């Protein structure tokens, strides 16, 4: 494979045998291989145990499992989308094909426009803008398609101020790239590659982090058709549509089904339905300080965020990182015990038992040592007292000796007095 891989286009799943996500992907990957072969795709599908062939995995920058890459010549393209059969096949066909796909007729343009919700088109001849367009396409082909067309192929409702031009067709209309207002072409395409309003999931939110935009989400239950759930979703949709010119450079709008993912992201328990604005670049988030009743309330909330009057929560500071570590550890333990109580007891009970025994042994050893030291000190003190003062018998004899000496003196003095009298 290493010697001949450049002769073909390869779609490779780098996996680890012990990885649970890899095992979950395996049946999907088998379906991808079968369908790619049946449709006559030039892409060869394979998988490699990255733990057995670590040098090759390292060469392609594999750092996690599973990692899906499309290898085309000297280039390796990472796949970061949902791990479904259709999404993976669509990625492979897009990246394996031409970098810039020509649209030779209006019929072809209409056909492509029906198939793709977001469509980037270069219009014009050779120019520095086209060279830049090709450069950006080689980088962002993993996310979206890039096309080229002549002006007469475009729909009649399209008017261009000048040529050459780069356009994006989405949300039922089109927008023309303006270097002076939109800045770098790569940044503009990266911002515009999403529809104005999205159904946001974990993968989409991860990709939105590359755009630098804040993400305004209505967190609802799609199965709940109550007025409140429907109303919040409609408010976000109206703001995305009617206030695009005001907010599209700074905000992405959408809704999320359920609050499980958002709870783990914010480390908080949000009651749905609700609205939250995420800053994926620094993990901050904003919650409205009052109930959102109308589109005007939502616009006011967004303006408060832009002018800095809305209170930001979360972030990536030290305290938040510590909180994240504790939260992740707690979540991991709870999930393990829920899925397999016996495995949880073994994984966490055994280490705790060993640590407890070690702590008990250390504490017991210290206590016995203190007792021995105390008794030794007491014995030394007693010996010192005996050495300094002598035994009780010696003290008694000394005392008796003093009484004897006093008695003899008194007798001598009495004899002297009697002699004087004589």
């Amino acid at each position: 494979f290493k010697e001949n891989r450049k002769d073909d286009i390869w779609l490779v799943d780098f996996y680890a045998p012990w990885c649970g996500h890899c095992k979950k992907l395996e049946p999907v990957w088998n379906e991808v291989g079968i369908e790619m072969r049946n449709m006559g795709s030039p892409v060869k599908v394979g998988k490699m145990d990255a733990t057995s062939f670590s040098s090759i995995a390292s060469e392609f920058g594999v750092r996690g499992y599973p990692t899906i890459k499309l290898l085309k010549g000297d280039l390796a393209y990472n796949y970061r989308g949902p791990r479904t059969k259709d999404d993976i096949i669509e990625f492979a066909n897009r990246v394996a094909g031409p970098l810039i796909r020509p649209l030779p007729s209006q019929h072809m343009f209409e056909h492509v426009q029906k198939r793709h919700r977001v469509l980037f088109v270069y219009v014009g001849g050779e120019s520095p803008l086209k060279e830049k367009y090709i450069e950006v396409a080689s980088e962002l082909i993993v996310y979206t398609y890039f096309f080229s067309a002549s002006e007469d192929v475009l729909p009649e409702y399209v008017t261009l101020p000048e040529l050459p031009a780069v356009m994006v067709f989405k949300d039922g209309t089109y927008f023309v790239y303006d270097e002076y207002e939109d800045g770098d072409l790569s940044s503009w395409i990266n911002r515009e590659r999403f529809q104005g309003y999205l159904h946001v999931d974990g993968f989409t939110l991860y990709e939105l982090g590359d755009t630098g935009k804040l993400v305004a989400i209505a967190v609802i239950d799609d199965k709940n058709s109550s007025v409140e759930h429907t109303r919040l979703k409609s408010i976000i949709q109206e703001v995305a549509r009617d206030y695009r010119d005001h907010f599209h450079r700074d905000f992405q709008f959408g809704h999320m089904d359920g609050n499980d993912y958002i709870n783990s992201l914010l480390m908080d328990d949000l009651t749905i339905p609700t609205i939250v604005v995420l800053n994926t670049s620094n993990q901050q988030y904003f919650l409205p300080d009052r109930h959102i009743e109308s589109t005007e309330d939502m616009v006011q909330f967004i303006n408060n965020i832009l002018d800095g009057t809305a209170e930001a929560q979360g972030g990536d500071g030290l305290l938040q990182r510590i909180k994240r570590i504790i939260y992740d550890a707690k979540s991991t333990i709870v999930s393990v015990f829920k899925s397999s109580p016996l495995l949880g007891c073994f994984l966490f009970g055994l280490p705790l038992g060993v640590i407890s025994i070690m702590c008990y042994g250390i504490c017991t050893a210290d206590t016995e040592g203190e007792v021995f030291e105390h008794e030794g000190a007491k014995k030394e003190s007693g010996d010192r007292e005996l050495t300094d003062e002598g035994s009780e018998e010696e003290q008694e004899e000394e005392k008796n000796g003093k009484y004897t000496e006093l008695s003899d003196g008194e007798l001598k003095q009495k004899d002297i007095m009697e002699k004087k009298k004589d």
Side-chain angles (χ1 to χ4, degrees), residues 95 98 184 208 255 258 276 357:
V95 179
D184 180 63
L208 287 171
H255 79 273
V276 61
I357 293 172

Side-chain angles (χ1 to χ4, degrees), residues 339-356:
S339 60
S340 178
L342 293 178
L343 179 62
C345 292
F346 177 77
L347 290 177
F348 300 104
L350 183 61
L352 288 175
V354 172
I355 293 172
S356 300

Side-chain angles (χ1 to χ4, degrees), residues 18 32 67 101 126 144 244 252 257 401:
W18 44 262
V32 169
T67 293
R101 300 167 189 254
E126 298 297 326
T144 188
R244 174 189 156 81
Q252 175 66 51
D257 182 20

